[in-house]
Amino acid sequence: MSAWLSQHRAALASAFRRLFVAPMSTVLSLLVIGIALTLPAFGYVLLDNLRDLGSRASGVKQISVFMDLGASRKEVGEIEGRLRQAAGLGWRFVPREEALKRLQQTEGMAEIVASLPRNPLPDAFIVEPQDTEPAALEALGKELASWPKVAHVQLDSAWVKRFDAFLRLGRLALMMLAGLFAAGLVAVTFNTIRLQVMAQAAEIEVARMIGATDAFIRRPFLYYGALQGAFGGLLAAGLMLGGLQLLAGPVGELAALYGTAFALQAPATSGAVVLAAGGALLGWFGAQLSVSLSLRKFD
Amino acid sequence: MIVASNLTKRYPGGYEAVRDVSFDISAGQMVLIGGHSGAGKTTLVKLIASIERPTSGSLVVNGQNLAALRRSAIPYVRRHFGLIFQDQKLLFDRSALDNVLLPLQIAGLSRRDAVRRAQAALDKVGLLAREKANPIALSGGEQQRLAIARAVVNRPTVLLADEPTANLDVDSARDILDLFADFNRVGVTVVVATHDQSWIERCHPNVLRLDHGRLV
């Protein structure tokens, strides 16, 4: 066990040393890997922010349940009771008086409302389900519409569907982009390791002759690939945070012009860890592929 | 210890470097593999060290038939040998000490133990004072002694050398010969492929003479 640990320690140290042997080439490789990881990661964060913005937009993924104008307090209370018992629903009651008051406060509506002989607005419930998938929203809307004394159920399902389809398309495009850049990262690591194996040919030949196993020879290269990928991932996290920082101001100003407050959300620290781990994994894979093919020449 | 039976090595193209060779080397022996250039000495050394695989016949080292060995087992067999080559195969991107440390790193020794043993090996060949020197700064004889230190540092049961004195002056060659004799005296089996007759005069080894791949 201690021999195994000692060999891994030595391989890791050797991989670190190799990173600093040719600093310029290391920096360039890290930049390529960093940028390759930044683009899909940045896209993911933007899409996540967009999804958040969409779900916070007024009315989206909410169901308005309008009661019959003739519904009594008891009948409204019965609907309230049903909503209270339903699992996975948030809701609030908007009495018709409050609805009228809000309408009055809307610019240009005060005079119109004042001219009305009576309150034309019904009691309403604003329902916010936890499951906001378009299909689930539609099913819930249908169920709510079937309840007694419910006159109308309003769900902007077309908007929800369009938005959801847009997000799905974005996610798919992002996955394709991530796949392409992951392949790019593997290719960069593959080539770097191939050059390293060529440069270390004498050492590999001697090591094999004096009893080194393939695992022993591979190990420093695998660590090198993983380290390069991990540092590339951290660089990508840095670039992404820098980009978000730069965009935060203009996005906030744009949102203010539309009368809403919106701030770009940066991913948590775990995002950087995921990027570094992903980079390390891809780097390890590229190195494994490269060193396995390169070592065949020494057989 | 090393038993060859009808050992043959045929290269692609049909050239037979070693033909139907049989011999038995006991533990602690010093054996010289002699013969003119192209007789098959180097091929025989490579077969014993598992650098080459026999085409037919068997070669048993420490009870293991190398001809039937799985590829993954070969590195562990090689660790029984201390290999020394005519061109030393030293690494010139590191110090003498680091060259000697390599077999110990492969064996998985801790850095501290490895350094202690590597320094002892360098001391044995008279190079401890030059442990930090790059091999390129060493003379031909010193380089060969460094190669011997690397070969013996793992305490192998067999020292296997291919023309270890070929490129050396008389004095350096004598030093190397004496070193081999010293290791043989403490029980290490020594197998040397060489056409240098001074080995016979100085060490009185058993001789396996090859001619066109055959034992004569």
Side-chain angles (χ1 to χ4, degrees):
Chain A
M1 183 65 181
S2 74
W4 184 84
L5 269 178
S6 154
Q7 285 184 336
H8 275 270
R9 241 194 331 259
L12 187 61
S14 160
F16 263 111
R17 273 196 303 275
R18 283 179 197 180
L19 277 175
F20 294 103
V21 164
M24 196 60 202
S25 113
T26 301
V27 166
L28 288 176
S29 295
L30 289 185
L31 265 179
V32 171
I33 293 169
I35 291 167
L37 288 173
T38 301
L39 292 173
F42 199 70
Y44 175 80
V45 170
L46 284 186
L47 211 61
D48 205 42
N49 273 280
L50 204 61
R51 186 183 53 78
D52 186 43
L53 181 67
S55 60
R56 280 203 288 143
S58 167
V60 175
K61 299 185 177 179
Q62 285 181 348
I63 300 174
S64 304
V65 179
F66 297 103
M67 300 301 295
D68 195 290
L69 273 172
S72 64
R73 284 285 154 217
K74 190 182 167 205
E75 285 161 339
V76 170
E78 194 183 314
I79 297 297
E80 201 174 316
R82 284 190 185 209
L83 285 171
R84 198 167 283 129
Q85 281 171 3
L89 292 182
W91 58 274
R92 64 192 160 83
F93 177 58
V94 183
R96 50 193 304 212
E97 297 78 18
E98 186 188 324
L100 188 70
K101 203 184 284 176
R102 280 194 202 171
L103 189 64
Q104 270 176 325
Q105 285 164 358
T106 311
E107 201 178 320
M109 294 299 286
E111 277 182 33
I112 299 170
V113 170
S115 68
L116 292 173
R118 58 188 172 82
N119 184 356
L121 301 176
D123 289 324
F125 291 92
I126 308 297
V127 179
E128 290 183 8
Q130 279 172 7
D131 185 353
T132 55
E133 287 297 311
L137 283 174
E138 236 172 280
L140 180 64
K142 274 185 190 159
E143 192 195 333
L144 292 173
S146 69
W147 288 2
K149 290 293 174 185
V150 170
H152 178 62
V153 170
Q154 186 181 307
L155 159 70
D156 195 353
S157 62
W159 200 98
V160 170
K161 276 181 182 169
R162 275 198 295 272
F163 186 64
D164 201 64
F166 172 78
L167 284 181
R168 266 187 286 130
L169 184 69
R171 269 197 289 267
L172 185 67
L174 205 61
M175 277 168 70
M176 285 163 62
L177 191 73
L180 280 174
F181 281 115
L185 191 154
V186 169
V188 167
T189 310
F190 182 95
N191 200 42
T192 311
I193 298 295
R194 193 180 60 85
L195 293 173
Q196 289 222 350
V197 170
M198 279 161 66
Q200 309 278 330
E203 182 179 351
I204 293 170
E205 191 194 349
V206 170
R208 290 193 88 150
M209 280 185 181
I210 60 180
T213 57
D214 281 354
F216 178 88
I217 292 167
R218 269 198 197 110
R219 216 169 278 136
F221 296 109
L222 296 183
Y223 273 119
Y224 182 91
L227 281 176
Q228 193 177 253
F231 285 134
L234 289 176
L235 180 65
L239 287 172
M240 191 176 64
L241 286 176
L244 287 174
Q245 201 73 31
L246 281 175
L247 282 179
V251 166
E253 284 169 23
L254 188 68
L257 289 175
Y258 279 93
T260 178
F262 177 71
L264 275 175
Q265 295 298 312
T269 318
S270 59
V273 174
V274 166
L275 269 176
L281 220 82
L282 289 168
W284 183 280
F285 177 66
Q288 172 77 28
L289 210 64
S290 179
V291 82
S292 296
L293 287 175
S294 304
L295 282 184
R296 284 188 194 168
K297 291 182 202 131
F298 292 88
D299 282 337
Chain B
M1 167 144 236
I2 305 174
V3 183
S5 307
N6 308 111
L7 195 63
T8 297
K9 175 64 187 178
R10 189 180 306 115
Y11 285 105
Y15 173 68
E16 279 188 338
V18 172
R19 294 183 207 181
D20 206 24
V21 167
S22 299
F23 58 81
D24 187 343
I25 299 171
S26 308
Q29 270 191 324
M30 178 181 273
V31 175
L32 185 143
I33 303 170
H36 58 79
S37 291
K41 301 189 296 290
T42 298
T43 303
L44 190 54
V45 167
K46 285 182 175 174
L47 285 168
I48 296 172
S50 307
I51 295 168
E52 297 277 4
R53 306 286 291 234
T55 309
S56 62
S58 75
L59 180 62
V60 178
V61 176
N62 289 332
Q64 279 183 302
N65 185 1
L66 303 189
L69 216 57
R70 278 181 299 115
R71 188 182 166 280
S72 57
I74 289 172
Y76 302 99
V77 171
R78 285 187 189 153
R79 292 180 196 178
H80 293 302
F81 298 107
L83 291 174
I84 298 147
F85 304 92
Q86 183 178 344
D87 61 354
Q88 293 107 20
K89 297 199 186 299
L90 297 171
L91 299 172
F92 295 104
D93 63 346
R94 63 196 70 189
S95 67
L97 178 69
D98 284 336
N99 267 273
V100 182
L101 280 172
L102 187 59
L104 301 170
Q105 287 165 345
I106 290 169
L109 255 72
S110 71
R111 172 88 190 168
R112 202 176 53 183
D113 290 347
V115 167
R116 194 170 41 78
R117 269 171 69 169
Q119 284 174 332
L122 283 169
D123 192 28
K124 175 73 189 161
V125 300
L127 284 177
L128 186 56
R130 311 219 51 194
E131 65 171 357
K132 291 194 174 77
N134 187 294
I136 205 124
L138 303 178
S139 69
E142 285 174 326
Q143 286 186 0
Q144 197 58 284
R145 279 191 276 146
L146 178 59
I148 293 172
R150 187 183 65 191
V152 298
V153 73
N154 237 350
R155 297 168 189 161
T157 50
V158 182
L159 260 183
L160 196 54
D162 184 20
E163 300 284 10
T165 52
N167 297 330
L168 303 181
D169 59 66
V170 176
D171 288 342
S172 299
R174 197 177 49 238
D175 289 347
I176 299 299
L177 242 81
D178 289 344
L179 272 173
F180 275 85
D182 284 351
F183 286 115
N184 184 237
R185 262 194 292 277
V186 295
V188 178
T189 308
V190 176
V191 180
V192 183
T194 183
H195 60 265
D196 183 352
Q197 292 301 308
S198 59
W199 283 82
I200 299 174
E201 294 151 17
R202 204 168 172 88
C203 302
H204 311 292
N206 297 310
V207 180
L208 298 172
R209 194 166 295 282
L210 289 170
D211 185 26
H212 291 99
R214 287 185 187 282
L215 213 53
V216 291

